[in-house]
Coordinates of all heavy atoms in Angstrom, one line a residue:
M1 N -13.6 41.6 -116.9 CA -12.4 41.8 -116.1 C -11.9 43.2 -116.3 O -11.6 43.9 -115.4 CB -11.3 40.8 -116.6 CG -10.0 41.0 -116.0 SD -10.1 40.4 -114.2 CE -8.4 40.7 -113.8
I2 N -11.9 43.7 -117.6 CA -11.5 45.1 -117.8 C -12.4 46.1 -117.1 O -11.9 47.1 -116.6 CB -11.4 45.4 -119.3 CG1 -10.2 44.5 -119.9 CG2 -11.1 46.8 -119.6 CD1 -10.0 44.6 -121.4
G3 N -13.7 45.9 -117.1 CA -14.6 46.7 -116.5 C -14.4 46.8 -115.0 O -14.4 47.8 -114.3
T4 N -14.1 45.6 -114.4 CA -13.8 45.5 -113.0 C -12.5 46.3 -112.6 O -12.4 47.0 -111.6 CB -13.7 44.1 -112.5 OG1 -14.8 43.4 -112.9 CG2 -13.4 43.9 -111.0
L5 N -11.5 46.1 -113.5 CA -10.2 46.8 -113.2 C -10.4 48.3 -113.3 O -9.9 49.1 -112.5 CB -9.2 46.3 -114.2 CG -7.8 46.9 -114.1 CD1 -7.2 46.7 -112.8 CD2 -6.9 46.4 -115.2
K6 N -11.2 48.7 -114.3 CA -11.4 50.2 -114.5 C -12.2 50.7 -113.3 O -11.8 51.8 -112.7 CB -12.2 50.4 -115.8 CG -12.5 51.9 -116.0 CD -13.3 52.1 -117.3 CE -13.5 53.6 -117.5 NZ -14.3 53.9 -118.6
K7 N -13.2 50.0 -112.8 CA -13.9 50.4 -111.6 C -13.0 50.5 -110.4 O -13.0 51.5 -109.6 CB -15.1 49.5 -111.3 CG -15.9 49.9 -110.2 CD -17.1 48.9 -109.9 CE -17.9 49.4 -108.7 NZ -18.8 48.4 -108.3
Y8 N -12.1 49.5 -110.2 CA -11.2 49.5 -109.1 C -10.3 50.7 -109.2 O -10.1 51.3 -108.2 CB -10.4 48.2 -109.3 CG -9.2 48.0 -108.3 CD1 -9.4 47.7 -107.0 CD2 -7.9 48.1 -108.8 CE1 -8.4 47.5 -106.1 CE2 -6.9 47.9 -107.9 CZ -7.1 47.6 -106.6 OH -6.1 47.4 -105.7
R9 N -9.7 51.0 -110.3 CA -8.8 52.2 -110.5 C -9.6 53.4 -110.2 O -9.1 54.4 -109.6 CB -8.2 52.2 -111.9 CG -7.2 51.1 -112.0 CD -6.6 51.1 -113.4 NE -5.6 50.0 -113.5 CZ -5.1 49.6 -114.7 NH1 -5.5 50.1 -115.8 NH2 -4.1 48.7 -114.7
E10 N -10.8 53.5 -110.7 CA -11.6 54.7 -110.4 C -11.9 54.9 -108.9 O -11.9 56.1 -108.4 CB -12.9 54.7 -111.2 CG -12.8 54.8 -112.7 CD -14.0 54.6 -113.5 OE1 -15.0 54.1 -112.9 OE2 -14.0 54.8 -114.7
E11 N -12.1 53.8 -108.2 CA -12.4 53.9 -106.8 C -11.1 54.4 -106.0 O -11.2 55.3 -105.2 CB -12.8 52.6 -106.2 CG -14.2 52.2 -106.7 CD -14.6 50.8 -106.2 OE1 -13.9 50.2 -105.4 OE2 -15.6 50.3 -106.7
I12 N -10.0 53.9 -106.4 CA -8.7 54.3 -105.8 C -8.5 55.8 -106.1 O -8.1 56.6 -105.2 CB -7.6 53.4 -106.2 CG1 -7.7 52.0 -105.7 CG2 -6.2 54.0 -105.8 CD1 -6.7 51.1 -106.2
T13 N -8.7 56.2 -107.4 CA -8.5 57.5 -107.8 C -9.4 58.5 -107.0 O -8.9 59.5 -106.5 CB -8.7 57.7 -109.3 OG1 -7.8 56.8 -110.0 CG2 -8.5 59.1 -109.7
A14 N -10.6 58.1 -106.8 CA -11.6 58.9 -106.1 C -11.1 59.1 -104.6 O -11.2 60.2 -104.1 CB -13.0 58.3 -106.1
K15 N -10.6 58.0 -104.0 CA -10.2 58.1 -102.6 C -8.9 59.0 -102.5 O -8.8 59.8 -101.6 CB -9.8 56.7 -102.1 CG -11.0 55.8 -101.9 CD -11.7 56.2 -100.7 CE -12.8 55.1 -100.4 NZ -13.6 55.5 -99.3
V16 N -8.0 58.9 -103.5 CA -6.8 59.8 -103.5 C -7.2 61.2 -103.6 O -6.8 62.1 -102.9 CB -5.8 59.4 -104.6 CG1 -4.7 60.4 -104.7 CG2 -5.3 58.0 -104.3
I17 N -8.1 61.5 -104.5 CA -8.6 62.9 -104.8 C -9.3 63.4 -103.5 O -9.0 64.6 -103.1 CB -9.5 63.0 -106.0 CG1 -8.7 62.7 -107.3 CG2 -10.2 64.3 -106.0 CD1 -9.5 62.5 -108.5
E18 N -10.1 62.6 -102.9 CA -10.8 63.0 -101.7 C -9.8 63.3 -100.5 O -9.9 64.4 -99.8 CB -11.7 61.9 -101.2 CG -12.5 62.2 -99.9 CD -13.4 61.1 -99.5 OE1 -13.8 60.3 -100.3 OE2 -13.6 61.0 -98.3
A19 N -8.8 62.5 -100.4 CA -7.8 62.7 -99.4 C -7.0 64.0 -99.6 O -6.7 64.7 -98.7 CB -6.8 61.5 -99.3
L20 N -6.6 64.2 -100.9 CA -5.9 65.4 -101.2 C -6.7 66.7 -101.0 O -6.2 67.7 -100.5 CB -5.5 65.4 -102.7 CG -4.4 64.4 -103.0 CD1 -4.2 64.3 -104.5 CD2 -3.1 64.7 -102.3
K21 N -8.0 66.6 -101.2 CA -8.9 67.8 -101.0 C -8.9 68.0 -99.4 O -9.1 69.2 -99.0 CB -10.3 67.5 -101.5 CG -10.4 67.7 -103.0 CD -11.8 67.4 -103.5 CE -11.9 67.5 -105.0 NZ -13.2 67.2 -105.5
N22 N -8.8 67.0 -98.7 CA -8.8 67.1 -97.2 C -7.5 67.4 -96.6 O -7.3 67.5 -95.4 CB -9.4 65.8 -96.6 CG -10.8 65.6 -96.9 OD1 -11.6 66.5 -97.0 ND2 -11.2 64.3 -97.0
G23 N -6.5 67.6 -97.5 CA -5.1 67.9 -97.0 C -4.3 66.8 -96.6 O -3.3 67.0 -95.9
T24 N -4.6 65.6 -96.9 CA -3.9 64.4 -96.5 C -2.9 64.0 -97.6 O -3.3 63.7 -98.8 CB -4.8 63.2 -96.3 OG1 -5.8 63.6 -95.3 CG2 -4.1 62.0 -95.7
A25 N -1.6 63.9 -97.3 CA -0.6 63.5 -98.3 C -0.4 62.0 -98.1 O 0.3 61.6 -97.2 CB 0.7 64.2 -98.1
L26 N -1.1 61.2 -98.9 CA -1.0 59.7 -98.7 C 0.4 59.1 -98.8 O 0.7 58.2 -98.1 CB -1.9 59.0 -99.8 CG -3.4 59.4 -99.8 CD1 -4.0 58.8 -101.0 CD2 -4.0 58.9 -98.6
W27 N 1.3 59.7 -99.6 CA 2.6 59.2 -99.7 C 3.5 59.5 -98.5 O 4.5 58.9 -98.3 CB 3.3 59.7 -101.0 CG 3.2 61.2 -101.1 CD1 4.0 62.1 -100.6 CD2 2.1 61.9 -101.7 NE1 3.6 63.4 -100.8 CE2 2.4 63.3 -101.5 CE3 0.9 61.6 -102.3 CZ2 1.6 64.3 -102.0 CZ3 0.1 62.6 -102.8 CH2 0.4 63.9 -102.6
R28 N 3.0 60.3 -97.6 CA 3.8 60.6 -96.4 C 3.6 59.5 -95.3 O 4.4 59.3 -94.5 CB 3.4 62.0 -95.8 CG 3.7 63.1 -96.7 CD 5.1 63.7 -96.4 NE 5.3 64.8 -97.2 CZ 6.5 65.1 -97.7 NH1 7.5 64.4 -97.4 NH2 6.7 66.2 -98.4
N29 N 2.4 59.0 -95.3 CA 2.0 57.9 -94.4 C 1.4 56.7 -95.2 O 0.2 56.5 -95.1 CB 1.0 58.4 -93.4 CG 1.5 59.5 -92.5 OD1 2.6 59.5 -92.1 ND2 0.7 60.5 -92.3
P30 N 2.2 55.9 -95.8 CA 1.7 54.9 -96.7 C 0.8 53.9 -95.9 O -0.1 53.3 -96.5 CB 2.9 54.2 -97.3 CG 4.0 54.6 -96.5 CD 3.7 55.9 -95.8
W31 N 1.1 53.7 -94.6 CA 0.3 52.7 -93.9 C -1.1 53.2 -93.7 O -2.0 52.4 -93.3 CB 1.0 52.5 -92.5 CG 1.2 53.7 -91.7 CD1 0.3 54.3 -90.8 CD2 2.3 54.6 -91.8 NE1 0.9 55.4 -90.3 CE2 2.1 55.6 -90.9 CE3 3.5 54.6 -92.5 CZ2 3.0 56.7 -90.7 CZ3 4.4 55.6 -92.3 CH2 4.2 56.6 -91.4
S32 N -1.4 54.5 -93.9 CA -2.8 54.9 -93.7 C -3.3 55.5 -95.0 O -4.3 56.2 -95.0 CB -2.8 56.0 -92.6 OG -2.1 57.2 -93.0
G33 N -2.7 55.1 -96.1 CA -3.1 55.7 -97.4 C -3.5 54.7 -98.4 O -4.4 53.9 -98.1
A34 N -2.9 54.7 -99.5 CA -3.3 53.9 -100.7 C -3.3 52.4 -100.4 O -4.2 51.7 -100.8 CB -2.5 54.2 -101.9
N35 N -2.3 51.9 -99.6 CA -2.3 50.5 -99.3 C -3.5 50.1 -98.5 O -4.0 49.0 -98.7 CB -1.0 50.1 -98.6 CG 0.2 50.2 -99.5 OD1 0.1 50.1 -100.7 ND2 1.4 50.3 -99.0
T36 N -3.9 50.9 -97.6 CA -5.1 50.6 -96.8 C -6.3 50.4 -97.7 O -7.1 49.5 -97.6 CB -5.4 51.7 -95.8 OG1 -4.3 51.8 -94.9 CG2 -6.6 51.4 -95.0
V37 N -6.5 51.3 -98.7 CA -7.6 51.2 -99.6 C -7.5 49.9 -100.4 O -8.4 49.2 -100.6 CB -7.6 52.4 -100.6 CG1 -8.7 52.3 -101.6 CG2 -7.8 53.7 -99.8
V38 N -6.3 49.7 -101.0 CA -6.1 48.5 -101.8 C -6.4 47.2 -101.0 O -7.1 46.3 -101.5 CB -4.6 48.4 -102.4 CG1 -4.3 47.1 -103.0 CG2 -4.4 49.6 -103.3
L39 N -5.8 47.1 -99.8 CA -6.0 45.9 -99.0 C -7.5 45.7 -98.5 O -8.0 44.6 -98.5 CB -5.1 45.9 -97.8 CG -3.6 45.7 -98.2 CD1 -2.7 45.9 -96.9 CD2 -3.3 44.4 -98.9
T40 N -8.1 46.8 -98.2 CA -9.5 46.7 -97.8 C -10.4 46.2 -99.0 O -11.2 45.3 -98.8 CB -10.0 48.1 -97.3 OG1 -9.3 48.5 -96.2 CG2 -11.5 48.0 -96.9
M41 N -10.1 46.8 -100.1 CA -10.9 46.4 -101.3 C -10.6 44.9 -101.6 O -11.5 44.2 -102.0 CB -10.6 47.3 -102.5 CG -11.1 48.7 -102.3 SD -10.6 49.9 -103.6 CE -11.1 49.1 -105.1
R42 N -9.4 44.5 -101.5 CA -9.0 43.1 -101.8 C -9.7 42.2 -100.7 O -10.2 41.1 -101.1 CB -7.5 42.9 -101.8 CG -7.1 41.5 -102.1 CD -7.4 41.2 -103.6 NE -6.9 39.9 -103.8 CZ -7.5 38.9 -104.5 NH1 -8.7 39.2 -105.0 NH2 -7.0 37.7 -104.7
G43 N -9.7 42.6 -99.5 CA -10.4 41.8 -98.5 C -11.9 41.6 -98.7 O -12.4 40.5 -98.5
F44 N -12.6 42.6 -99.3 CA -14.0 42.5 -99.6 C -14.1 41.5 -100.8 O -15.1 40.7 -100.8 CB -14.6 43.8 -100.0 CG -15.1 44.6 -98.8 CD1 -14.4 45.7 -98.4 CD2 -16.2 44.2 -98.1 CE1 -14.8 46.5 -97.3 CE2 -16.6 44.9 -97.0 CZ -15.9 46.0 -96.6
E45 N -13.2 41.5 -101.7 CA -13.3 40.6 -102.8 C -13.1 39.1 -102.4 O -13.8 38.2 -102.9 CB -12.2 40.9 -103.9 CG -12.3 42.2 -104.6 CD -11.1 42.5 -105.5 OE1 -10.2 41.6 -105.6 OE2 -11.1 43.6 -106.1
L46 N -12.2 38.9 -101.4 CA -11.9 37.6 -100.9 C -13.0 37.0 -100.0 O -13.4 35.9 -100.2 CB -10.6 37.6 -100.2 CG -9.4 37.9 -101.1 CD1 -8.1 38.0 -100.3 CD2 -9.2 36.8 -102.2
D47 N -13.3 37.8 -99.0 CA -14.2 37.2 -98.0 C -15.2 38.2 -97.3 O -15.6 38.0 -96.2 CB -13.4 36.5 -96.9 CG -12.5 37.4 -96.1 OD1 -12.6 38.6 -96.4 OD2 -11.7 36.9 -95.3
G48 N -15.5 39.3 -98.0 CA -16.3 40.3 -97.4 C -15.7 41.1 -96.3 O -16.3 41.7 -95.5
C49 N -14.3 41.0 -96.3 CA -13.5 41.7 -95.3 C -13.8 41.2 -93.9 O -13.7 41.9 -92.9 CB -13.7 43.2 -95.4 SG -12.2 44.1 -94.9
A50 N -14.1 39.9 -93.8 CA -14.3 39.2 -92.5 C -13.1 39.3 -91.6 O -13.2 39.4 -90.4 CB -14.7 37.8 -92.7
D51 N -11.9 39.2 -92.2 CA -10.6 39.3 -91.5 C -9.8 40.4 -92.1 O -9.2 40.2 -93.1 CB -9.9 37.9 -91.5 CG -8.7 37.9 -90.6 OD1 -8.3 38.9 -90.0 OD2 -8.1 36.8 -90.5
P52 N -9.7 41.5 -91.4 CA -8.9 42.7 -92.0 C -7.4 42.6 -91.8 O -6.7 43.6 -92.2 CB -9.5 43.9 -91.3 CG -9.9 43.3 -89.9 CD -10.3 41.9 -90.2
R53 N -6.9 41.5 -91.2 CA -5.5 41.5 -91.0 C -4.7 41.1 -92.2 O -5.1 40.2 -93.0 CB -5.2 40.5 -89.8 CG -5.8 40.9 -88.5 CD -5.7 39.9 -87.5 NE -6.4 38.7 -87.9 CZ -6.4 37.5 -87.3 NH1 -5.6 37.3 -86.3 NH2 -7.1 36.5 -87.8
W54 N -3.5 41.7 -92.4 CA -2.6 41.4 -93.5 C -1.2 41.3 -93.0 O -0.9 42.0 -92.0 CB -2.7 42.5 -94.6 CG -4.0 42.6 -95.3 CD1 -5.1 43.3 -94.9 CD2 -4.4 41.9 -96.4 NE1 -6.1 43.1 -95.7 CE2 -5.7 42.2 -96.7 CE3 -3.7 41.0 -97.3 CZ2 -6.4 41.7 -97.8 CZ3 -4.4 40.5 -98.4 CH2 -5.7 40.9 -98.7
M55 N -0.4 40.5 -93.6 CA 1.0 40.4 -93.2 C 1.8 40.0 -94.4 O 1.3 39.5 -95.4 CB 1.2 39.5 -92.1 CG 1.0 38.0 -92.5 SD 1.0 36.9 -91.1 CE -0.7 37.1 -90.6
T56 N 3.1 40.2 -94.3 CA 4.0 39.6 -95.4 C 4.3 38.2 -95.1 O 4.1 37.7 -93.9 CB 5.3 40.4 -95.4 OG1 6.1 40.2 -94.2 CG2 5.1 41.9 -95.6
F57 N 4.8 37.5 -96.1 CA 5.3 36.1 -95.9 C 6.3 36.0 -94.8 O 6.3 35.2 -93.9 CB 5.8 35.5 -97.2 CG 6.1 34.0 -97.0 CD1 5.1 33.0 -97.1 CD2 7.4 33.7 -96.8 CE1 5.5 31.7 -96.9 CE2 7.8 32.3 -96.6 CZ 6.8 31.3 -96.7
K58 N 7.2 37.0 -94.8 CA 8.3 37.1 -93.8 C 7.8 37.3 -92.4 O 8.3 36.6 -91.5 CB 9.3 38.2 -94.2 CG 10.5 38.2 -93.2 CD 11.6 39.2 -93.7 CE 12.8 39.3 -92.8 NZ 12.8 38.8 -91.5
Q59 N 6.8 38.2 -92.3 CA 6.2 38.4 -91.0 C 5.6 37.1 -90.4 O 5.7 36.8 -89.2 CB 5.2 39.5 -91.0 CG 5.7 40.9 -91.2 CD 4.7 41.9 -91.5 OE1 3.7 41.6 -92.2 NE2 4.9 43.1 -91.0
A60 N 4.9 36.3 -91.3 CA 4.3 35.1 -90.8 C 5.4 34.1 -90.4 O 5.3 33.5 -89.4 CB 3.5 34.5 -92.0
S61 N 6.5 34.0 -91.2 CA 7.6 33.1 -91.0 C 8.3 33.4 -89.7 O 8.6 32.6 -88.8 CB 8.6 33.0 -92.1 OG 8.0 32.6 -93.3
D62 N 8.5 34.7 -89.5 CA 9.2 35.2 -88.3 C 8.4 34.9 -87.0 O 9.0 34.7 -85.9 CB 9.5 36.7 -88.3 CG 10.6 37.1 -89.3 OD1 11.3 36.1 -89.8 OD2 10.7 38.3 -89.6
N63 N 7.1 34.8 -87.1 CA 6.3 34.5 -85.9 C 5.9 33.0 -85.8 O 5.2 32.6 -84.9 CB 5.0 35.3 -86.0 CG 5.2 36.8 -85.6 OD1 5.4 37.1 -84.5 ND2 5.2 37.7 -86.6
G64 N 6.5 32.2 -86.7 CA 6.2 30.8 -86.7 C 4.9 30.4 -87.2 O 4.4 29.3 -87.0
W65 N 4.2 31.3 -87.9 CA 2.9 31.0 -88.5 C 3.1 30.4 -89.9 O 4.1 30.6 -90.6 CB 2.1 32.3 -88.6 CG 1.9 33.0 -87.3 CD1 1.8 32.4 -86.1 CD2 1.8 34.4 -87.1 NE1 1.6 33.4 -85.1 CE2 1.6 34.6 -85.7 CE3 1.8 35.5 -88.0 CZ2 1.5 35.9 -85.2 CZ3 1.6 36.7 -87.4 CH2 1.5 36.9 -86.0
K66 N 2.1 29.6 -90.3 CA 2.1 29.0 -91.6 C 1.2 29.7 -92.6 O 0.1 30.1 -92.2 CB 1.7 27.5 -91.5 CG 2.6 26.7 -90.6 CD 4.0 26.5 -91.2 CE 4.8 25.7 -90.2 NZ 6.2 25.7 -90.6
V67 N 1.6 29.8 -93.8 CA 0.7 30.4 -94.9 C 0.1 29.2 -95.6 O 0.8 28.2 -95.9 CB 1.5 31.3 -95.9 CG1 0.7 31.8 -97.0 CG2 2.2 32.4 -95.1
K68 N -1.2 29.3 -95.8 CA -1.9 28.2 -96.5 C -1.3 27.9 -97.8 O -1.0 28.8 -98.6 CB -3.4 28.6 -96.7 CG -4.4 28.1 -95.8 CD -5.8 28.4 -96.4 CE -6.7 28.8 -95.3 NZ -8.0 29.1 -95.8
K69 N -1.2 26.6 -98.1 CA -0.7 26.2 -99.4 C -1.6 26.7 -100.5 O -2.8 26.6 -100.4 CB -0.6 24.7 -99.4 CG 0.1 24.2 -100.7 CD 0.3 22.7 -100.7 CE 1.0 22.2 -101.9 NZ 1.4 20.8 -101.8
G70 N -1.0 27.3 -101.5 CA -1.8 27.8 -102.6 C -2.3 29.3 -102.4 O -2.9 29.8 -103.3
A71 N -2.0 29.8 -101.2 CA -2.4 31.2 -100.9 C -1.7 32.2 -101.9 O -0.6 32.0 -102.3 CB -2.1 31.6 -99.5
K72 N -2.4 33.2 -102.3 CA -1.8 34.2 -103.2 C -1.6 35.5 -102.5 O -2.3 35.9 -101.6 CB -2.8 34.5 -104.4 CG -3.2 33.2 -105.2 CD -2.0 32.7 -105.9 CE -2.4 31.5 -106.7 NZ -1.3 30.7 -107.2
G73 N -0.6 36.3 -102.9 CA -0.3 37.6 -102.4 C -1.1 38.7 -103.0 O -1.8 38.5 -104.0
T74 N -1.0 39.8 -102.5 CA -1.7 41.0 -103.0 C -0.6 42.1 -103.1 O 0.2 42.3 -102.2 CB -2.8 41.5 -102.1 OG1 -3.8 40.5 -102.0 CG2 -3.4 42.8 -102.6
H75 N -0.6 42.8 -104.2 CA 0.4 43.9 -104.4 C 0.1 45.1 -103.6 O -1.1 45.5 -103.5 CB 0.6 44.3 -105.9 CG 1.2 43.2 -106.7 ND1 0.7 42.8 -107.9 CD2 2.3 42.5 -106.5 CE1 1.5 41.9 -108.4 NE2 2.4 41.6 -107.6
V76 N 1.1 45.7 -103.0 CA 1.0 47.0 -102.3 C 2.2 47.8 -102.8 O 3.1 47.4 -103.5 CB 1.0 46.9 -100.8 CG1 -0.3 46.2 -100.3 CG2 2.2 46.2 -100.3
T77 N 2.2 49.1 -102.4 CA 3.3 50.0 -102.8 C 4.1 50.4 -101.6 O 3.6 50.7 -100.6 CB 2.7 51.3 -103.4 OG1 1.8 50.9 -104.5 CG2 3.7 52.2 -104.0
F78 N 5.4 50.4 -101.8 CA 6.3 50.8 -100.8 C 6.9 52.1 -101.2 O 7.4 52.3 -102.3 CB 7.5 49.8 -100.6 CG 8.5 50.2 -99.6 CD1 8.3 50.2 -98.3 CD2 9.8 50.7 -100.1 CE1 9.3 50.6 -97.4 CE2 10.7 51.1 -99.2 CZ 10.5 51.1 -97.8
W79 N 6.8 53.1 -100.3 CA 7.3 54.5 -100.5 C 8.5 54.7 -99.5 O 8.3 54.4 -98.4 CB 6.2 55.5 -100.3 CG 5.2 55.4 -101.3 CD1 4.0 54.7 -101.2 CD2 5.1 56.1 -102.6 NE1 3.3 54.9 -102.4 CE2 3.9 55.7 -103.2 CE3 6.0 57.0 -103.2 CZ2 3.5 56.2 -104.5 CZ3 5.6 57.4 -104.5 CH2 4.4 57.1 -105.1
K80 N 9.5 55.4 -100.0 CA 10.6 55.7 -99.2 C 11.1 57.1 -99.6 O 11.5 57.2 -100.8 CB 11.7 54.6 -99.2 CG 12.9 55.0 -98.3 CD 13.9 53.8 -98.4 CE 15.0 54.1 -97.4 NZ 16.0 53.1 -97.5
D81 N 11.2 58.0 -98.7 CA 11.8 59.3 -99.1 C 13.3 59.1 -99.2 O 13.9 58.5 -98.3 CB 11.5 60.4 -98.0 CG 10.1 60.8 -98.1 OD1 9.4 60.7 -99.1 OD2 9.5 61.2 -97.0
I82 N 13.9 59.7 -100.2 CA 15.3 59.7 -100.4 C 15.8 61.1 -100.2 O 15.4 62.0 -100.9 CB 15.7 59.2 -101.8 CG1 15.1 57.8 -102.0 CG2 17.2 59.2 -102.1 CD1 15.3 57.3 -103.4
I83 N 16.7 61.3 -99.3 CA 17.2 62.6 -99.0 C 18.6 62.8 -99.4 O 19.5 62.0 -99.1 CB 17.0 62.9 -97.5 CG1 15.6 62.9 -97.1 CG2 17.6 64.3 -97.1 CD1 15.3 62.9 -95.6
N84 N 18.9 63.8 -100.2 CA 20.2 64.1 -100.7 C 20.4 65.5 -100.4 O 20.0 66.4 -101.1 CB 20.3 63.8 -102.2 CG 21.8 64.0 -102.7 OD1 22.5 64.8 -102.1 ND2 22.1 63.3 -103.7
E85 N 21.1 65.8 -99.2 CA 21.2 67.2 -98.8 C 22.2 68.0 -99.6 O 22.2 69.2 -99.6 CB 21.7 67.2 -97.3 CG 20.6 66.6 -96.4 CD 21.1 66.4 -95.0 OE1 22.2 66.9 -94.6 OE2 20.4 65.8 -94.2
T86 N 23.1 67.3 -100.4 CA 24.1 68.1 -101.1 C 23.5 68.5 -102.5 O 24.0 69.5 -103.0 CB 25.3 67.2 -101.4 OG1 24.9 66.0 -102.1 CG2 26.0 66.8 -100.1
D87 N 22.5 67.9 -103.0 CA 22.0 68.2 -104.3 C 20.5 68.1 -104.3 O 20.0 67.0 -104.7 CB 22.6 67.4 -105.4 CG 22.2 67.8 -106.8 OD1 21.4 68.7 -106.9 OD2 22.8 67.2 -107.8
P88 N 19.7 69.1 -103.9 CA 18.2 69.0 -103.9 C 17.6 68.6 -105.2 O 16.6 67.9 -105.2 CB 17.8 70.4 -103.4 CG 19.0 71.0 -102.8 CD 20.2 70.4 -103.5
E89 N 18.2 69.0 -106.3 CA 17.7 68.7 -107.6 C 17.8 67.2 -107.9 O 16.9 66.6 -108.4 CB 18.4 69.4 -108.7 CG 17.5 69.8 -109.9 CD 18.3 70.7 -110.9 OE1 18.5 71.9 -110.5 OE2 18.6 70.2 -111.9
K90 N 18.9 66.6 -107.4 CA 19.1 65.2 -107.6 C 18.0 64.4 -106.7 O 17.5 63.4 -107.1 CB 20.5 64.8 -107.1 CG 20.8 63.3 -107.4 CD 22.3 63.0 -107.1 CE 22.6 61.6 -107.3 NZ 24.0 61.3 -107.0
E91 N 17.7 64.9 -105.5 CA 16.7 64.3 -104.7 C 15.4 64.2 -105.4 O 14.8 63.2 -105.4 CB 16.6 65.1 -103.4 CG 15.5 64.6 -102.5 CD 15.2 65.5 -101.3 OE1 16.0 66.4 -101.0 OE2 14.2 65.2 -100.6
A92 N 15.0 65.3 -106.0 CA 13.7 65.3 -106.7 C 13.7 64.2 -107.8 O 12.7 63.6 -108.0 CB 13.4 66.7 -107.3
K93 N 14.8 64.1 -108.5 CA 14.9 63.1 -109.6 C 14.8 61.7 -109.0 O 14.1 60.8 -109.6 CB 16.2 63.2 -110.4 CG 16.2 64.5 -111.2 CD 17.5 64.6 -112.0 CE 17.6 66.0 -112.6 NZ 18.9 66.2 -113.1
Q94 N 15.4 61.4 -107.9 CA 15.4 60.1 -107.3 C 14.0 59.7 -106.7 O 13.7 58.6 -106.7 CB 16.4 60.1 -106.1 CG 17.9 60.1 -106.6 CD 18.8 60.2 -105.4 OE1 18.5 60.6 -104.3 NE2 20.0 59.7 -105.6
N95 N 13.2 60.7 -106.3 CA 11.9 60.4 -105.8 C 10.9 60.2 -106.9 O 9.7 59.9 -106.6 CB 11.4 61.6 -104.9 CG 12.1 61.4 -103.5 OD1 12.2 60.3 -103.0 ND2 12.4 62.5 -102.9
T96 N 11.2 60.4 -108.1 CA 10.2 60.2 -109.2 C 10.2 58.8 -109.6 O 11.2 58.2 -109.9 CB 10.7 61.1 -110.4 OG1 10.8 62.4 -110.1 CG2 9.6 61.0 -111.6
F97 N 8.9 58.2 -109.5 CA 8.7 56.8 -109.8 C 7.9 56.7 -111.1 O 7.0 57.4 -111.3 CB 8.0 56.1 -108.7 CG 8.8 56.0 -107.5 CD1 8.7 56.9 -106.5 CD2 9.8 55.0 -107.3 CE1 9.4 56.9 -105.3 CE2 10.6 55.0 -106.2 CZ 10.4 55.9 -105.1

């Protein structure tokens, strides 16, 4: 398990480094960044990525769809820029996670 987790983290790190070298700021467009990598890798673990679609429980409920009993979620990261025009230093502190 630990070896798999280490490999998983190394793969994500390599993708981030590659994107940064190419001038892509992943945190500016989270829908095309780290979450894509995480969900794709998770899809391969589950079913060989036969179905690349993902949604939140709320999205399924809002559309009248049912989530399989016993289904498990996958963690992703939500990024949001916080803008404080009166105190730029405060903005930088708020954006630190």
Side-chain angles (χ1 to χ4, degrees):
M1 179 71 179
I2 292 177
T4 303
L5 181 60
K6 182 178 179 185
K7 183 179 177 188
Y8 174 74
R9 289 178 178 166
E10 288 172 351
E11 288 174 11
I12 291 174
T13 301
K15 292 284 186 184
V16 170
I17 290 170
E18 180 183 335
L20 290 172
K21 285 179 180 176
N22 292 330
T24 305
L26 299 173
W27 50 90
R28 296 267 183 215
N29 297 319
W31 56 89
S32 65
N35 288 338
T36 301
V37 174
V38 170
L39 293 173
T40 300
M41 290 172 57
R42 184 67 177 136
F44 275 109
E45 290 171 8
L46 294 173
D47 63 5
C49 213
D51 187 353
R53 297 172 296 171
W54 293 88
M55 71 190 82
T56 65
F57 183 83
K58 183 176 179 345
Q59 287 169 325
S61 296
D62 289 349
N63 284 287
W65 302 328
K66 302 291 181 193
V67 176
K68 258 191 220 179
K69 186 174 184 172
K72 304 291 182 195
T74 298
H75 289 135
V76 294
T77 303
F78 175 75
W79 293 90
K80 181 177 180 181
D81 288 333
I82 300 171
I83 299 171
N84 185 332
E85 295 174 8
T86 58
D87 186 354
E89 214 173 289
K90 186 175 182 183
E91 175 186 348
K93 290 177 189 169
Q94 290 175 336
N95 279 324
T96 305
F97 294 96

